[in-house]
């Protein structure tokens, strides 16, 4: 129709998508300088975070007792290299528990907003501070939520920061999945950026597991050579070789347990979200297969199919109590996965 905006061409959409990914690896200014002129208009805007206390006027004095004033005080303590114990004691005295995760996370993200590398240096230097705000499961989920709230206009920055927190073991995959599948946040299950982040999370977790398994196999081979050299295994031996093997076995067992928990929590979370949606739709007489449902189901099944050799489908079905799920969830998720599982060699 005359006067209507022209639909974006596939070529333009592809270029915009690639440049959006490039922005995660370089500064916007650097991309602008190196791009041919026709592509500059396809660049995404510079990601901008939003602290809970809003934009700060450097010339203004923060209201005493406000979150902004507490953030300024916290950052001043960190810049003056105050002792960790003194900083943590101040937080306990001055910051209500309900504000702790938001204050700590938004202060560090604001201070590190200049670049990803700057943020990484802050996370390395003050990981103890984030760890103090993420001492249990609910607290870690609030840390995840605080990251998403700060980068609410930039989903890819949300996942970039979350991946760095997971890598530093400041939050765990269980807390991340739990937050994502909670009622206020499950709308994100239809977002491509969500599944890009989840795929990366699973790939890194599985890569770690395989690395640990490889190290265990190498240590077992070394121990076998040691036993052959001494002419047989000594009962109750406390040799260095035996101790190294036991350490590797313990690490491997932990990694195996974490892998099982990752898949169990993921299935429980997404299937719970799908089940709530299906049952609410049935109660309201509304269609189950909405745009959200189709996108979220498609992405979830795709991820589960990709890694189907890494988990036991029957064990997962027991964990989520598949027979209690809405028929639409059973049909859309588990029947499709059973078909794939049946073809496994």
């Amino acid at each position: 129709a005359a006067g209507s905006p022209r639909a974006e061409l596939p070529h333009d959409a592809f270029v915009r998508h690639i440049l959006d990914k490039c922005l995660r690896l370089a500064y916007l200014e650097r991309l602008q300088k190196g791009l041919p002129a026709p592509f500059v208009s396809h660049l995404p805007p510079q990601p901008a975070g939003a602290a809970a206390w809003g934009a700060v006027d450097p010339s203004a004095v923060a209201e005493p007792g406000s979150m902004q004033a507490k953030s300024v005080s916290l950052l001043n303590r960190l810049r003056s290299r105050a002792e960790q114990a003194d900083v943590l004691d101040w937080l306990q005295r001055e910051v209500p528990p309900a504000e702790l995760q938001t204050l700590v996370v938004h202060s560090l993200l604001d201070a590190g907003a200049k670049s990803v590398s700057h943020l990484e240096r802050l996370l390395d230097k003050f990981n103890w501070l984030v760890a103090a705000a993420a001492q249990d499961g609910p607290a870690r989920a609030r840390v995840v939520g605080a990251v998403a709230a700060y980068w609410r206009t930039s989903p890819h920055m949300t996942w970039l920061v979350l991946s760095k927190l997971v890598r530093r073991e400041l939050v765990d995959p269980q807390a991340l999945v739990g937050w994502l599948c909670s009622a206020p946040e499950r709308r994100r299950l239809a977002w491509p950026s969500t599944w890009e982040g989840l795929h990366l999370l699973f790939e890194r977790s599985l890569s770690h597991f395989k690395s640990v398994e490889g190290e265990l196999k190498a240590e077992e081979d070394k121990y076998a050579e040691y036993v052959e050299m001494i002419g047989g295994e000594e009962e109750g031996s406390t040799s260095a070789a035996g101790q190294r093997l036991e350490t590797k076995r313990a690490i491997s067992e932990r990694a195996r347990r974490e892998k099982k928990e990752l898949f169990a929590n993921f299935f429980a979370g997404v299937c719970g979200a799908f089940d709530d949606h299906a049952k609410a739709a049935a109660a309201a007489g509304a269609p189950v297969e909405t745009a959200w449902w189709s996108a979220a189901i498609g992405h979830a099944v795709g991820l589960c199919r990709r890694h189907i050799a890494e988990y036991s489908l029957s064990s997962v079905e027991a964990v989520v109590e598949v027979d209690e799920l809405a028929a639409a969830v059973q049909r859309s998720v588990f029947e499709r996965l059973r078909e794939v599982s049946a073809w496994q060699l």
Side-chain angles (χ1 to χ4, degrees):
S4 62
R6 181 176 65 87
E8 187 172 45
L9 296 174
H11 172 271
D12 295 327
F14 175 76
V15 171
R16 197 179 302 279
H17 179 71
I18 294 300
L19 291 178
D20 179 66
K21 290 184 178 297
C22 289
L23 186 57
R24 309 177 198 189
L25 304 173
Y27 300 126
L28 181 63
E29 294 81 3
R30 186 178 301 172
L31 285 176
Q32 288 173 331
K33 290 178 181 178
L35 275 178
F39 291 153
V40 172
S41 62
H42 292 71
L43 278 170
Q46 177 72 46
W53 42 90
V56 176
D57 181 357
S59 63
V61 178
E63 180 182 350
S66 66
M67 284 192 72
Q68 179 186 340
K70 293 173 185 175
S71 175
V72 171
S73 184
L74 172 61
L75 292 175
N76 284 340
R77 282 173 165 80
L78 298 179
R79 288 168 182 143
S80 64
R81 301 182 181 181
E83 295 291 334
Q84 293 184 18
D86 293 338
V87 174
L88 296 178
D89 180 65
W90 174 82
L91 285 172
Q92 189 172 19
R93 286 186 288 104
E94 301 295 333
V95 181
E99 294 181 0
L100 178 61
Q101 288 76 29
T102 297
L103 178 70
V104 168
V105 171
H106 286 205
S107 296
L108 289 179
L109 291 180
D110 235 17
K114 180 179 179 181
S115 69
V116 173
S117 58
H118 188 50
L119 174 61
E120 289 210 78
R121 288 194 293 271
L122 286 179
L123 291 177
D124 288 336
K125 188 174 183 179
F126 301 116
N127 63 337
W128 55 269
L129 181 59
V130 181
Q135 292 187 347
D136 56 29
R140 287 189 285 274
R142 289 193 292 273
V143 167
V144 173
V147 172
Y150 183 87
W151 286 115
R152 55 183 172 270
T153 62
S154 181
H156 81 259
M157 281 300 299
T158 296
W159 282 97
L160 186 66
V161 174
L162 290 177
S163 69
K164 296 184 183 304
L165 294 180
V166 170
R167 187 185 305 171
R168 289 167 173 78
E169 298 185 352
L170 295 171
V171 300
D172 52 40
Q174 289 77 12
L176 198 158
V177 171
W179 164 81
L180 178 63
C181 296
S182 64
E185 304 298 337
R186 58 184 54 158
R187 69 190 187 283
R188 298 173 183 266
L189 291 173
W191 298 0
S193 59
T194 293
W195 294 97
E196 183 179 331
L198 285 175
H199 274 285
L200 184 60
L201 175 67
F202 274 79
E203 293 289 350
R204 284 179 175 165
S205 296
L206 294 174
S207 176
H208 170 69
F209 172 73
K210 291 174 182 176
S211 175
V212 167
E213 289 290 279
E215 291 175 6
L216 174 60
K217 178 64 169 62
E219 198 62 50
E220 288 175 336
D221 291 342
K222 290 180 183 178
Y223 186 71
E225 292 176 3
Y226 166 76
V227 169
E228 183 178 357
M229 181 183 68
I230 65 173
E233 189 169 4
E234 297 177 1
E235 186 174 351
S237 172
T238 57
S239 66
Q243 291 176 356
R244 286 196 302 269
L245 179 58
E246 288 306 311
T247 298
K248 292 295 184 183
R249 283 174 174 167
I251 294 172
S252 175
E253 181 57 34
R254 178 188 172 189
R256 190 180 301 275
R257 185 168 58 251
E258 289 175 348
K259 185 178 81 163
K260 289 181 179 179
E261 290 174 354
L262 174 61
F263 280 103
N265 280 281
F266 173 76
F267 271 99
V270 296
C271 288
F274 297 152
D275 190 55
D276 288 347
H277 171 85
K279 289 176 179 176
V288 172
E289 296 188 3
T290 61
W292 175 87
W293 171 273
S294 298
I297 287 281
H299 282 297
V301 171
L303 188 149
C304 295
R305 289 176 63 177
R306 177 177 176 82
H307 300 297
I308 200 163
E310 304 291 344
Y311 60 90
S312 165
L313 185 57
S314 59
S315 296
V316 165
E317 290 179 346
V319 168
V320 302
E321 299 180 337
V322 68
D323 292 337
E324 301 299 320
L325 296 175
V329 181
Q330 296 186 40
R331 180 176 63 255
S332 299
V333 177
F334 290 97
E335 287 185 10
R336 294 163 70 181
L337 293 178
R338 290 185 196 119
E339 291 175 358
V340 177
S341 183
W343 285 95
Q344 281 187 281
L345 298 178

